[in-house]
Amino acid sequence: MTITQLKYVLAVAEHKNFTLAAEKCFVTQPTLSMQIQKIEEELGIQIFDRTKKPIQLTEIGQKIVNQSKNIVNEADRIQDIVDQQKGFIGGEFRLGIIPTIMPTLLPMFLNNFIKKYPKVKLIIEELNTDEIIKRLNNGHLDAAISATPLQEEKIKEVVLYYEPFVAYIPEGHSSFQKQEIEINDLNLDEILLLQDGHCFRDGILNLCKNTDINEKAHFQIESGSFETLIKLADEGLGTTLLPYLHTLDLKEKDKLKLRHFKEPKPAREVSLVFPKNELKIHIIDALRTTIAGVVKGAIVFQNVEIISPLPQKK
């Protein structure tokens, strides 16, 4: 039994198809099938039930897959140990970032990071929180930047910064004349929200302590873009909430419509999240240090109240 054979088993378990698994492993389908058959003959059991479509794991097969993940991860750790001993920071690193963080944070740190660590090949994807959790757990991401806490047993979280919510209130609105606002000033029925699936949306709903949007309202708009929400607010269709870093790049005329909350300011916790097996921890530490350096001067708020990014339980 070899590490390569175990990787083939994991590929078939994930894709539930021998041909697709072979493509992902860059081998021919007969080669992959033969190697898996060798493991099954060696162990005297069937890992996969090939009579079902798509292919399913047998009961013992599921246990073997779980253990195979541990073995493959520990094997990968050997190279990490060697790299750390040599002081080498390089290689491929897969990073996920949620959509409400990617546009503002990535330009702040990416250039600094690639100049300081030119041997690291960053593969960055914009993913929602659910997809990030899934990919971290199945080994398809090395780390991610997300709003936390995620409350995931197998995922470790290292806080990068706390980012306050900021209200965008157009002229003519009853709260426009206020210098600072309170949570009680918010009316969920007039807040323009990101579409379902964004954790920032869930944070707003949690902040308002209410997930029941008024069905009698004249309209209900949800968008995947803060820019769209801002334009709709300027048309008098409501207000919206923005992450603090997003407000830094607004035009000066739009910044006049921003209203900060009174302390403690509602905020989201933004963290670097990664599997607890801590593979490639040397690159994770390099990312954390780089990001901490660039946001230190951008976010100076101290007295904040962390709002959960998870949907409220009904």
Side-chain angles (χ1 to χ4, degrees), residues 183 186-188 191 203-210 241 312:
I183 294 174
L186 300 177
N187 179 356
L188 186 60
I191 295 179
I204 293 174
L205 296 176
N206 292 338
L207 176 65
C208 295
K209 302 291 190 297
N210 176 18
L241 296 183
Q312 287 187 358

Side-chain angles (χ1 to χ4, degrees), residues 181-236:
I181 65 170
E182 300 180 68
I183 294 174
N184 291 338
D185 293 323
L186 300 177
N187 179 356
L188 186 60
D189 292 334
E190 65 179 19
I191 295 179
L192 301 166
L193 296 169
L194 291 174
Q195 59 195 198
D196 199 13
H198 287 272
C199 60
F200 192 77
R201 165 198 167 92
D202 294 324
I204 293 174
L205 296 176
N206 292 338
L207 176 65
C208 295
K209 302 291 190 297
N210 176 18
T211 58
D212 296 324
I213 298 175
N214 184 5
E215 295 181 355
K216 295 182 180 179
H218 294 298
F219 62 88
Q220 179 181 330
I221 300 175
E222 298 177 1
S223 171
S225 163
F226 285 124
E227 285 69 25
T228 299
L229 298 182
I230 288 171
K231 290 179 180 179
L232 293 173
D234 284 337
E235 291 296 320

Side-chain angles (χ1 to χ4, degrees), residues 98 100-101 104 147-148 161-165 199-200 226 243-244 266-270 305-307 309:
I98 62 173
T100 58
I101 292 177
T104 51
T148 53
Y161 56 91
Y162 300 102
E163 183 176 25
F165 292 66
C199 60
F200 192 77
F226 285 124
Y244 175 73
R268 63 175 175 178
E269 179 182 84
V270 176
E305 177 186 355
I306 305 305
I307 305 300

Side-chain angles (χ1 to χ4, degrees), residues 34-176:
M34 181 180 66
Q35 292 301 319
I36 291 178
Q37 187 175 352
K38 282 185 177 181
I39 295 181
E40 292 178 324
E41 290 174 353
E42 180 182 340
L43 297 175
I45 54 91
Q46 289 291 311
I47 299 175
F48 298 101
D49 183 348
R50 295 164 174 79
T51 65
K52 295 183 178 179
K53 300 294 182 183
I55 293 168
Q56 299 293 319
L57 285 164
T58 61
E59 184 177 349
I60 186 64
Q62 182 62 64
K63 294 179 180 179
I64 289 172
V65 164
N66 293 340
Q67 186 61 30
S68 295
K69 289 180 181 178
N70 295 332
I71 294 171
V72 170
N73 284 338
E74 290 303 315
D76 290 341
R77 187 190 293 275
I78 293 175
Q79 186 60 53
D80 288 339
I81 292 171
V82 173
D83 288 344
Q84 290 180 62
Q85 181 65 30
K86 293 180 177 178
F88 174 75
I89 300 180
E92 185 176 286
F93 191 85
R94 299 158 298 178
L95 179 70
I97 308 178
I98 62 173
T100 58
I101 292 177
M102 180 105 149
T104 51
L105 181 63
L106 186 61
M108 293 176 68
F109 79 84
L110 182 59
N111 196 38
N112 287 352
F113 184 84
I114 59 179
K115 284 182 177 179
K116 191 171 183 179
Y117 305 102
K119 294 181 180 179
V120 177
K121 181 184 178 182
L122 273 181
I123 299 174
I124 303 170
E125 291 187 77
E126 184 175 278
L127 303 166
N128 64 34
T129 304
D130 288 343
E131 186 65 20
I132 280 175
I133 292 171
K134 176 183 175 182
R135 295 198 189 190
L136 287 172
N137 284 329
N138 66 24
H140 288 178
L141 279 181
D142 296 304
I145 300 172
S146 176
T148 53
L150 299 178
Q151 299 177 0
E152 290 290 321
E153 182 181 353
K154 296 181 180 180
I155 294 176
K156 186 172 182 178
E157 304 172 1
V158 176
V159 177
L160 295 170
Y161 56 91
Y162 300 102
E163 183 176 25
F165 292 66
V166 182
Y168 185 88
I169 300 176
E171 294 183 41
H173 190 274
S174 58
S175 295
F176 181 78

